[in-house]
Amino acid sequence: MDESEDVPKDFIKLKSEKLSVDEVSELVTSPYCGAVSLFIGTTRNNFEGKKVIHLEYEAYTSMAETEIKKICRDIRQKWPSVKHIAVHHRLGVVPIAEASVIIAVSSPHRAESLEAVMYCINTLKASVPIWKKEIYEDECSWKENKECFWANSEK
Amino acid sequence: QVSVLYFARSAELAGLRSETLSVPRHITALQLWEEIVKAHPRLAVIRDQVIFAVRQEYVHLGDQLLVLQPGDEVAIIPPISGG
């Protein structure tokens, strides 16, 4: 048996091409794991009655990768049985209904991977320097996550 | 001399994505913000929403003393919306 299968890995990618659920889940699949949990964030076509034409994402790429690595490290501390973690985030123009983020986590049993995926997306929204701009028919708007830990959201 | 990076709304208000800025080696985060606003007054409107990232660590716009090295990256981070 290939010994390198046992080493837990983090797969982090920021890219402008279309994301693939198959690709991401294959990255974390392992014969040692009975569970692969997945989260897919997709783009909605409306906001407050306005039609969204598409989304544009930008990132402070080097810091975003570092922050995602920190999240992976935290996941492994909280759920030591987690095997592999994959986080793929799309940048640039993302058409409606396509995935902007895919997170996959594998673990021997399902509880850990399910909890880790939820932790991962919640923490990503609070701390990873990535921004989304919604393009409407006649205007555009930079979105703000309510999870963002420093912004005053009195909305 | 530090490298200042602008993102999202701050890049739109400043009209650029990056520049080098000459600042004292020892400066508080708030003083650094004030230097940047002097160069780009339109940034003043987002003062309450932004945070810095100095050498890729988040720093609030407060009295924390920064010890800057030449070539350090300082990023203006508006409220994030990833995921």
Side-chain angles (χ1 to χ4, degrees):
Chain A
M1 186 155 272
D2 187 355
E3 290 290 308
S4 72
E5 282 282 355
D6 218 324
V7 179
K9 295 194 199 80
D10 301 332
F11 301 94
I12 299 166
K13 199 182 257 194
L14 305 178
K15 62 192 232 184
S16 52
E17 298 80 29
K18 191 169 177 181
L19 302 182
S20 159
V21 172
D22 281 347
E23 182 192 332
V24 178
S25 58
E26 267 165 50
L27 286 171
V28 305
T29 298
S30 155
Y32 297 91
C33 293
V36 173
S37 297
L38 232 78
F39 172 81
I40 306 165
T42 57
T43 63
R44 279 180 289 149
N45 63 6
N46 71 89
F47 177 73
E48 286 178 354
K50 289 179 284 203
K51 182 175 155 199
V52 180
I53 309 295
H54 65 249
L55 303 184
E56 288 174 14
Y57 281 91
E58 75 177 66
Y60 183 2
T61 319
S62 50
M63 186 175 176
E65 285 171 0
T66 307
E67 287 296 308
I68 297 173
K69 277 193 202 128
K70 283 185 195 167
I71 295 173
C72 291
R73 196 190 59 208
D74 288 349
I75 286 173
R76 294 182 185 292
Q77 273 185 333
K78 289 175 188 297
W79 297 281
S81 67
V82 159
K83 180 67 80 179
H84 302 305
I85 304 168
V87 179
H88 281 203
H89 201 300
R90 196 160 170 196
L91 300 179
V93 175
V94 182
I96 297 303
E98 289 190 15
S100 41
V101 63
I102 303 178
I103 295 170
V105 178
S106 56
S107 58
H109 305 287
R110 69 186 179 282
E112 291 80 6
S113 69
L114 285 166
E115 288 171 33
V117 165
M118 179 153 76
Y119 174 86
C120 191
I121 183 63
N122 288 346
T123 313
L124 187 152
K125 282 181 168 291
S127 66
V128 175
I130 295 176
W131 297 270
K132 166 170 83 179
K133 188 175 182 181
E134 280 178 353
I135 312 298
Y136 312 112
E137 278 164 328
D138 51 7
E139 54 177 324
C140 52
S141 162
W142 287 105
K143 306 305 297 177
E144 300 179 4
N145 289 344
K146 64 184 193 312
E147 296 89 347
C148 178
F149 71 83
W150 65 86
N152 307 315
S153 314
E154 283 133 11
K155 295 174 190 145
Chain B
Q1 277 222 325
V2 295
S3 221
V4 183
L5 306 178
Y6 300 91
F7 293 97
R9 185 138 182 255
S10 70
E12 287 175 351
L13 290 169
L16 75 177
R17 297 222 152 249
S18 70
E19 62 181 347
T20 45
L21 207 65
S22 286
V23 291
R25 198 176 280 256
H26 297 273
I27 187 173
T28 69
L30 195 51
Q31 286 166 339
L32 178 57
W33 173 256
E34 278 154 15
E35 289 298 308
I36 291 168
V37 170
K38 266 189 221 160
H40 305 284
R42 288 170 66 199
L43 286 173
V45 299
I46 56 171
R47 187 234 175 286
D48 288 337
Q49 298 156 34
V50 299
I51 195 171
F52 279 131
V54 179
R55 294 183 295 268
Q56 302 195 2
E57 297 285 340
Y58 289 116
V59 178
H60 289 276
L61 265 58
D63 296 325
Q64 181 180 335
L65 189 67
L66 307 172
V67 181
L68 299 172
Q69 310 289 341
D72 272 353
E73 260 181 17
V74 173
I76 316 291
I77 311 276
I80 52 177
S81 40

